[in-house]
Amino acid sequence: MAKTRDFRTKGHDSNPQLTPAQQATLDLIRLPNDDRLTHPSTLSSQIEAELEQATADLVDRLDEPLWISKRQLHAVNSCEALHEAQADEPFVWRIPMTRGQIFHKCIELSVHLWPKRSATDLVDEAIASIIGHGDGLAEFLTSLSEVELAEIRSEVTALIQTFFDTFPPLRSGWHPTTELPRKVLLHRGKIVLQGRFDLTVGRPEELTAGRVVIELKTGRSVPHHLDDLRFYALLETLVVGVPPALIASFYVDAGRVQVEHVDEDLLRAATLRTTRGIERLVELRLGETQALKRPSGACKWCPVAESCAPGQAWLGEAKANGAW
Ligand code: SF4
């Protein structure tokens, strides 16, 4: 056991030569000590009070706790009717969804397993671990053909190799964590804000920010990724009492990271968006308002598009304009 620990420490803390892409990522996610902000100790209680104030009149009428994640907040900032239609549909696993799930499991294992594994071995171990859990994803994976599974393995192996080539090797001294859960109870648990951070490095020191919250993206960049991360900055502030120093999206295909510094202006904007989102979600849950229809590219695959007049109008216009 002691031997394993020695090896792990030695391996993770060695100072490997970095590729230019790894160095570029490291330069963006490592904030010098002098640039780290020290925040007031009252920050989290102020934000919590603001969030609770917005729903103080409505919350007693909720008979069940309302769980809110980045997905629900995005939904009420886009097409609410689509969100409701999706909530009514039974969840079905599809092959493209498995890619991200297996990729994230590989990253989790790569941080915590020693000795290090090759990308291929990690993918095999991740799939075996997921199947071992026996949940819906496990059932779906075991239902696939050999060829389908081989294609998934190949795609995820390529992603993992790109990650290894472009993201600096995680050192134990950086205090890396994967799948870090955060949960905030408002109104004694009537409203629960929740999130799970893909990857974090660094940590705060007293009231000085130091943690970097990183979302690993296996798809393309979309504007709401920034809002999702700002919500995570809020969760981190409310749970730990100190905001993260940086929030970042790492786009694995491109091997590039997009970083934002967290300051009080950013937290104020995130608080405002979250407050409005909570209000809206509570009103929808209580049936006090109708879900808004906001046509967009999502109308193309929306399950209720055929019966949605604004969606049909948008699709017709897009077709006439040669959008696709
Ligand atoms: S068709 Fe478009 S506007 Fe209508 S519910 Fe679906 S996403 Fe919303």
Side-chain angles (χ1 to χ4, degrees), residues 16-26 28-30 103 107 110-111 116 159-171 174 176-177 198-201 212-217 248-252 254-259:
Q17 296 295 309
L18 301 182
T19 66
Q22 287 174 322
Q23 189 63 54
T25 303
L26 182 58
L28 287 169
I29 62 169
R30 187 169 53 185
F103 173 82
I107 299 301
S110 77
V111 171
K116 283 185 178 183
L159 279 174
I160 291 292
Q161 191 56 55
T162 308
F163 180 80
F164 285 164
D165 291 343
T166 56
F167 199 94
L170 292 161
R171 298 166 64 174
W174 299 352
T177 69
D198 288 345
L199 175 66
T200 73
V201 290
V212 182
V213 175
I214 304 164
E215 285 293 278
L216 302 173
K217 301 294 183 190
S249 295
F250 185 77
Y251 293 96
V252 182
R256 290 291 177 272
V257 69
Q258 288 178 8
V259 172

Side-chain angles (χ1 to χ4, degrees), residues 100-241:
Q101 296 290 321
I102 300 168
F103 173 82
H104 283 92
K105 176 57 77 179
C106 288
I107 299 301
E108 184 187 333
L109 296 181
S110 77
V111 171
H112 301 289
L113 275 180
W114 189 257
K116 283 185 178 183
R117 310 301 204 253
S118 68
T120 319
D121 288 348
L122 269 178
V123 173
D124 284 343
E125 294 195 43
I127 291 176
S129 166
I130 291 170
I131 289 177
H133 285 143
D135 56 12
L137 177 54
E139 263 177 48
F140 180 71
L141 288 175
T142 46
S143 74
L144 296 177
S145 71
E146 251 183 87
V147 170
E148 287 169 324
L149 212 45
E151 285 170 349
I152 293 172
R153 274 199 170 88
S154 160
E155 286 175 17
V156 183
T157 303
L159 279 174
I160 291 292
Q161 191 56 55
T162 308
F163 180 80
F164 285 164
D165 291 343
T166 56
F167 199 94
L170 292 161
R171 298 166 64 174
S172 59
W174 299 352
H175 309 285
T177 69
T178 52
E179 304 297 324
L180 185 66
R182 291 289 185 239
K183 196 184 283 180
V184 175
L185 308 182
L186 300 176
H187 298 292
R188 297 177 307 283
K190 278 284 184 93
I191 295 173
V192 184
L193 307 180
Q194 61 171 342
R196 192 175 281 275
F197 308 161
D198 288 345
L199 175 66
T200 73
V201 290
R203 59 180 181 181
E205 281 176 26
E206 294 191 38
L207 292 167
T208 301
R211 180 160 287 132
V212 182
V213 175
I214 304 164
E215 285 293 278
L216 302 173
K217 301 294 183 190
T218 53
R220 66 193 169 88
S221 165
V222 292
H224 73 81
H225 287 167
L226 209 54
D227 290 319
D228 293 348
L229 274 166
R230 289 173 181 177
F231 174 62
Y232 279 4
L234 207 58
L235 291 184
E236 176 73 357
T237 308
L238 289 165
V239 172
V240 180

Side-chain angles (χ1 to χ4, degrees), residues 295 299 305 308-320:
C299 299
C308 174
Q312 286 301 321
W314 190 92
L315 287 167
E317 204 174 312
K319 202 168 182 182

Side-chain angles (χ1 to χ4, degrees), residues 78-85 291-315:
S78 49
C79 181
E80 295 173 351
L82 169 61
H83 169 60
E84 291 201 335
L292 291 174
K293 292 176 177 171
R294 297 191 182 101
S296 71
C299 299
K300 284 185 281 181
W301 44 264
C302 173
V304 294
E306 278 187 18
S307 59
C308 174
Q312 286 301 321
W314 190 92
L315 287 167

